[in-house]
Amino acid sequence: MEKHEIIRGLLTRIYGEAEGRRAFSAIKPVMDRFTARQSRKTEFFSHADAVLITYADSLIAPDHSPLFLLSSFLRDYLNDTFSAVHILPFFPYSSDDGFSVIDFFTVNPGLGDWADIRRIGRQLDLMVDFVLNHISSQSQWFHNYLNNEADFADLVIEADEHDDLSMVVRPRTTPLLHAFKKADGSVVNVWTTFSRDQVDLNYQSPRVLSRMLEVLLFYVENGASIIRMDAVAYLWKAAGTSCIHLPQTHDVVRLFRAILDEIAPDTVIITETNVPHHENISYFGNGFDEAQMVYNFTLPPLLLYTFIKADTSELTRWAASLETPSNRTTFFNFTASHDGIGVRPLEGILSEKEIDLLVQQTRDNNGEVSYKTGPCGQQIPYELNTTYMDALSSPDDDDATRADRFLASQAIQLALPGVPGVYIHSLFGTRNWLDGVRQTGRARTINRKSLPFEDVVKVIRTSGSPENRIFSAYVHMLKTRRRQPAFHPNAGFAVLSLSSAIMAIHRQCDQQAILALTNVANESLTVSLADFATDKTSRLTDLLSGKPHASGTISLAPFQTAWLTDTPF
């Protein structure tokens, strides 16, 4: 089917026949302003892929812009380590550390400019946040709406007193609606899913769709090759429904995918939906028409539970079910991020009592817990706010134990099928930033500290420092991983039950097989390798240590990882 016909069909399905035609008339001029590109890729993903997740100002120094420092750090300390970098929202904003965007088309001048963004996009593939659900209440667009400008009359969603909002799924405890006074003195109740300052956009308006399409294509034009659709699950609202994962939401994702397939076919869409696993993977669509990547949201909390219990049983059971609908889709595997560790993805996997273990572990290590409002008004844990290092730790850990346990968790992440995403603070083993929480009053600040560039360079260069230990080992794992064909996202995958405290992941392609073993317990364990080597007399090589192993047994020290292969690359 011709691409335009797919686009027309989706618009008709979203808006109806007549309004769909008007919607196409609105977006066609936007599409025509951007020159279509030819596809240069034979596949979307490879074993060499890994994404660094960072704020533009995660590294700071008085005499250089943060984006300049990020570019320098990527060049000087992370060369041949990552294939892409996700720079979290770098636009002018009014709250939520960038996710309440004032101007989608401008780089925050305190960070740098578009030339800096494009420069980084030439170094690595660039992931950019498409904050498509909402806009800042301080934005010019919203001011135009409040001033009753005709072109912005349908920008946001006004709630009527008769609207049935009882079924709406809430990710926050703040009110769903907030009152705003317009220029004519009238007061309207406006939909605000995340906060009063984050005003939801009204996609029932083709004008809003057209404006946001222009934003999307502008990012692509300025170097974005991976588009992160932030909070996309809540995009379409309709009274009397849950207002999450509605059919129109999926169709809008399909629409943006179809437009990108026509204009910039190498662009990857990744959807951010912090929800239970079966809901999350629905954004793969049929494997060809929605996102190429989805965040693997179940991994961070379930991996944390695995280390708390020193038992891989639940993780093994869940991991064995991982699959995607086509070889053009894969998971985005991560543990830490700018947000906390989501709890909702554990629904149906762990009991309420088991989830309480994670909550208590977080509090024991000076972390915070964020809540959402349940259907009966109850407060339900939604997110654990902590660095992943401190989430895993025990209060009596020494530096070596804390580092080894953390690196073991990251090794499991890197061995699973998908593309790994690594938050910049994980490279240094950053601890909870309690002063930041006290300064801002926001729990999520705990994992968002801006680090002085010179301090970071000093500690990662200091042999024997905790930061050097973690940085060196982590970079070594990443560089080793990206040379192994068996770690391709679509390579064969199986989880083996060798021991309740050993996570055993088998990856295989035509050229290579790898058995990735990680001890999640604080004691030494021995497991048999007799069934792994193709030749029982052959010797295996641990890709991480370079040491040979006979194909009989292997002993793993507490929190040790070995990536074993009989075909080193």
Side-chain angles (χ1 to χ4, degrees):
M1 186 187 298
E2 185 191 349
K3 294 277 176 54
H4 272 14
E5 291 309 307
I6 294 174
I7 293 168
R8 288 178 188 272
L10 287 166
L11 290 169
T12 298
R13 203 155 73 187
I14 295 167
Y15 295 110
E17 189 69 43
E19 194 68 8
R21 285 196 298 271
R22 284 191 287 271
F24 184 78
S25 297
I27 70 169
K28 180 67 164 56
V30 177
M31 294 169 59
D32 289 345
R33 288 204 297 273
F34 295 87
T35 304
R37 307 172 182 174
Q38 294 296 313
S39 177
R40 298 189 299 270
K41 293 182 177 178
T42 56
E43 59 179 3
F44 281 113
F45 312 109
S46 86
H47 53 279
D49 288 333
V51 181
L52 177 69
I53 306 165
T54 180
Y55 278 101
D57 61 353
S58 290
L59 301 174
I60 55 174
D63 298 327
H64 297 286
S65 72
L67 285 169
F68 172 84
L69 293 173
L70 175 59
S71 176
S72 299
F73 193 76
L74 290 168
R75 181 192 64 233
D76 297 338
Y77 297 95
L78 294 175
N79 186 42
D80 194 34
T81 305
F82 292 97
S83 62
V85 57
H86 172 202
I87 307 177
L88 289 151
F90 45 79
F91 318 105
Y93 69 94
S94 51
S95 64
D96 199 16
D97 289 334
F99 285 92
S100 185
V101 180
I102 291 175
D103 183 352
F104 291 113
F105 297 97
T106 302
V107 175
N108 187 334
L111 303 175
D113 55 28
W114 280 112
D116 294 314
I117 295 293
R118 290 190 291 268
R119 183 181 305 111
I120 292 173
R122 289 190 292 271
Q123 288 177 263
L124 297 172
D125 288 343
L126 176 65
M127 184 192 296
V128 170
D129 285 278
F130 184 31
V131 186
L132 73 170
N133 180 74
H134 47 262
I135 193 170
S136 168
S137 65
Q138 304 303 308
S139 66
Q140 187 60 52
W141 286 9
F142 190 61
H143 287 167
N144 292 346
Y145 158 78
L146 292 177
N147 289 328
N148 293 307
E149 293 190 19
D151 285 349
F152 291 86
D154 50 5
L155 177 75
V156 300
I157 305 163
E158 296 179 8
D160 185 271
E161 60 180 334
H162 302 296
D163 289 343
D164 177 11
L165 306 180
S166 61
M167 296 172 61
V168 175
V169 172
R170 298 305 324 286
R172 297 288 186 272
T173 57
T174 53
L176 174 63
L177 307 176
H178 281 93
F180 289 88
K181 181 179 284 190
K182 302 181 81 172
D184 60 9
S186 62
V187 176
V188 290
N189 289 314
V190 173
W191 202 293
T192 53
T193 295
F194 293 94
S195 75
R196 187 185 191 280
D197 188 45
Q198 292 165 296
V199 181
D200 289 34
L201 292 165
N202 176 24
Y203 280 85
Q204 294 189 28
S205 163
R207 279 190 295 202
V208 170
L209 177 74
S210 177
R211 284 195 178 95
M212 294 309 292
L213 175 61
E214 186 172 10
V215 172
L216 171 64
L217 296 180
F218 177 80
Y219 294 163
V220 172
E221 188 176 54
N222 278 278
S225 54
I226 307 172
I227 299 295
R228 178 185 182 271
M229 291 190 171
D230 175 66
V232 67
Y234 303 95
L235 180 137
W236 194 276
K237 287 84 175 176
T241 75
S242 65
C243 299
I244 186 171
H245 312 313
L246 295 188
Q248 295 93 332
T249 293
H250 283 281
D251 278 340
V252 171
V253 176
R254 292 185 184 100
L255 176 69
F256 286 137
R257 171 71 184 272
I259 292 169
L260 288 173
D261 282 350
E262 179 168 339
I263 294 177
D266 291 337
T267 307
V268 170
I269 289 175
I270 176 170
T271 47
E272 187 261 338
T273 54
N274 189 358
V275 294
H277 188 72
H278 69 280
E279 298 175 29
N280 187 31
I281 61 176
S282 69
Y283 288 86
F284 281 135
N286 65 15
F288 299 93
D289 64 345
E290 290 193 54
Q292 292 97 334
M293 280 199 294
V294 302
Y295 276 76
N296 204 349
F297 272 108
T298 304
L299 177 61
L302 191 55
L303 189 60
L304 172 59
Y305 176 80
T306 298
F307 278 87
I308 291 174
K309 299 290 288 185
D311 187 337
T312 65
S313 303
E314 291 294 345
L315 181 62
T316 295
R317 187 178 301 113
W318 167 78
S321 71
L322 291 176
E323 60 180 1
T324 67
S326 78
N327 62 6
R328 296 173 71 82
T329 54
T330 197
F331 290 103
F332 187 65
N333 295 323
F334 72 109
T335 55
S337 74
H338 63 289
D339 288 338
I341 301 168
V343 175
R344 277 208 71 202
L346 293 177
E347 292 175 14
I349 298 174
L350 298 185
S351 68
E352 195 172 305
K353 184 177 180 180
E354 289 168 324
I355 291 172
D356 284 343
L357 283 176
L358 307 187
V359 171
Q360 191 58 50
Q361 171 90 354
T362 301
R363 288 179 172 150
D364 287 345
N365 288 293
N366 298 311
E368 302 279 341
V369 180
S370 298
Y371 292 83
K372 74 183 187 77
T373 302
C376 299
Q378 73 273 38
Q379 302 294 285
I380 301 172
Y382 177 78
E383 185 178 79
L384 310 176
N385 301 112
T386 173
T387 67
Y388 212 73
M389 167 71 86
D390 275 338
L392 289 162
S393 297
S394 295
D396 57 351
D397 281 343
D398 57 29
D399 286 342
T401 301
R402 185 180 292 111
D404 288 346
R405 185 190 290 109
F406 173 72
L407 289 166
S409 74
Q410 304 307 286
I412 293 174
Q413 171 195 338
L414 297 183
L416 288 168
V419 172
V422 180
Y423 190 38
I424 192 167
H425 283 282
S426 293
L427 292 177
F428 317 129
T430 304
R431 309 295 301 279
N432 286 337
W433 186 33
L434 303 180
D435 285 344
V437 176
R438 285 190 284 268
Q439 290 166 20
T440 66
R442 296 193 303 271
R444 284 181 167 180
T445 306
I446 205 164
N447 199 18
R448 297 180 177 181
K449 185 177 184 180
S450 294
L451 304 172
F453 184 85
E454 293 303 323
D455 290 354
V456 168
V457 170
K458 180 179 179 180
V459 294
I460 65 175
R461 283 179 167 177
T462 302
S463 179
S465 72
E467 294 85 357
N468 171 268
R469 179 189 181 100
I470 291 169
F471 183 80
S472 299
Y474 211 141
V475 168
H476 175 61
M477 283 196 294
L478 286 163
K479 289 187 174 184
T480 301
R481 182 192 186 279
R482 68 194 322 247
R483 295 193 296 269
Q484 314 309 320
F487 282 137
H488 191 287
N490 300 128
F493 163 70
V495 283
L496 310 179
S497 296
L498 303 183
S499 162
S500 63
I502 300 287
M503 188 66 186
I505 299 172
H506 185 248
R507 305 297 309 277
Q508 186 166 10
C509 64
D510 290 342
Q511 305 104 303
Q512 184 187 44
I514 294 174
L515 180 61
L517 301 175
T518 299
N519 182 359
V520 303
N522 196 9
E523 60 179 328
S524 296
L525 296 169
T526 300
V527 292
S528 172
L529 302 175
D531 295 331
F532 178 62
T534 53
D535 175 357
K536 296 297 189 294
T537 63
S538 70
R539 295 180 70 82
L540 303 172
T541 300
D542 177 6
L543 295 166
L544 293 174
S545 68
K547 294 179 180 178
H549 284 280
S551 57
T553 61
I554 182 172
S555 293
L556 295 174
F559 308 123
Q560 182 184 348
T561 291
W563 288 348
L564 304 174
T565 183
D566 55 6
T567 314
F569 273 76

